[in-house]
Amino acid sequence: MNSIVEIDSAIAMAGFPECEVLQTARIEARYLYAIRTGRRKLTRKTSSRIQLAIAELKRVRKEMERDKTTDGRTPSASRVAAQYRMSIAFVAQAAGVSPQFILSADPARRATADPQWLKAANLRRVALYIANQYLNLPQADLARAAGMSKSNVSCAMGEIEDDRGNPEIEAILSAVEGAFEG
């Protein structure tokens, strides 16, 4: 990018707001304005900083898109799915069951008459709560990772809040809180 026209074109083609590119490049808008009006010359350093900022913003966008494409079955392909699975592993360890016990109970099955499925569903709710409240994962992303609807995840959050007096849930959440107090 040797001219301001090329810079403007690169920013427009990248699809980011100019202010976001400039902020990432740590360039003041008035400095770019001075270049546009001819009061300052475009330097190679300025051009490089803008190119690097666009590349960084593209990388971040791609990473965010990748995280949103998870189906929950490939945790290695998504940060959210991996964190959800870690929450499952923690809850399973605290409850004395295997993570597979929780993961194998398909949420879509809704087998509330099956005590094993119901236990796994309750543990999954706790894992969702931990991932949302302590790891700050959005409910919509957790829904994709868990193979559930957004409304089901929202209901699970409310149910855990309502069940905060349950000794089993309190023990698990106290252990998590202890780790975050550390």
Side-chain angles (χ1 to χ4, degrees), residues 38-170:
R39 290 184 297 194
R40 292 205 179 244
K41 290 188 177 189
L42 177 62
T43 63
R44 184 180 296 186
K45 182 178 179 181
T46 301
S47 179
S48 294
R49 287 172 71 181
I50 291 173
Q51 284 177 322
L52 290 171
I54 291 171
E56 174 66 13
L57 289 169
K58 284 181 179 178
R59 184 191 65 76
V60 168
R61 179 196 292 164
K62 185 176 178 181
E63 186 176 300
M64 289 174 66
E65 288 301 315
R66 188 187 77 221
D67 277 346
K68 290 186 176 186
T69 60
T70 184
D71 60 359
R73 290 171 177 71
T74 53
S76 61
S78 166
R79 178 185 55 81
V80 172
Q83 289 176 314
Y84 166 67
R85 293 281 181 111
M86 290 302 295
S87 297
I88 290 279
F90 177 81
V91 169
Q93 190 272 333
V97 297
S98 74
Q100 195 56 37
F101 171 77
I102 299 171
L103 292 169
S104 65
D106 183 14
R109 203 170 127 223
R110 299 177 128 345
T112 56
D114 179 1
Q116 294 299 316
W117 183 91
L118 196 55
K119 180 176 180 174
N122 288 332
L123 294 173
R124 180 177 29 260
R125 282 188 211 120
V126 175
L128 288 166
Y129 184 83
I130 289 169
N132 178 252
Q133 295 297 310
Y134 296 99
L135 301 177
N136 298 317
L137 298 177
Q139 289 183 15
D141 294 346
L142 281 172
R144 278 188 291 279
M148 300 170 67
S149 71
K150 291 183 269 188
S151 64
N152 284 347
V153 171
S154 180
C155 288
M157 297 295 114
E159 289 170 2
I160 293 298
E161 285 292 336
D162 293 343
D163 289 344
R164 283 298 298 247
N166 180 328
E168 183 181 14
I169 291 173
E170 278 302 315

Side-chain angles (χ1 to χ4, degrees), residues 13-55:
M13 288 179 61
F16 299 107
E18 184 176 285
C19 61
E20 191 174 354
V21 173
L22 294 177
Q23 182 180 14
T24 304
R26 292 192 168 95
I27 296 174
E28 292 288 330
R30 64 179 175 236
Y31 180 75
L32 191 61
Y33 177 76
I35 294 171
R36 283 192 178 114
T37 59
R39 290 184 297 194
R40 292 205 179 244
K41 290 188 177 189
L42 177 62
T43 63
R44 184 180 296 186
K45 182 178 179 181
T46 301
S47 179
S48 294
R49 287 172 71 181
I50 291 173
Q51 284 177 322
L52 290 171
I54 291 171

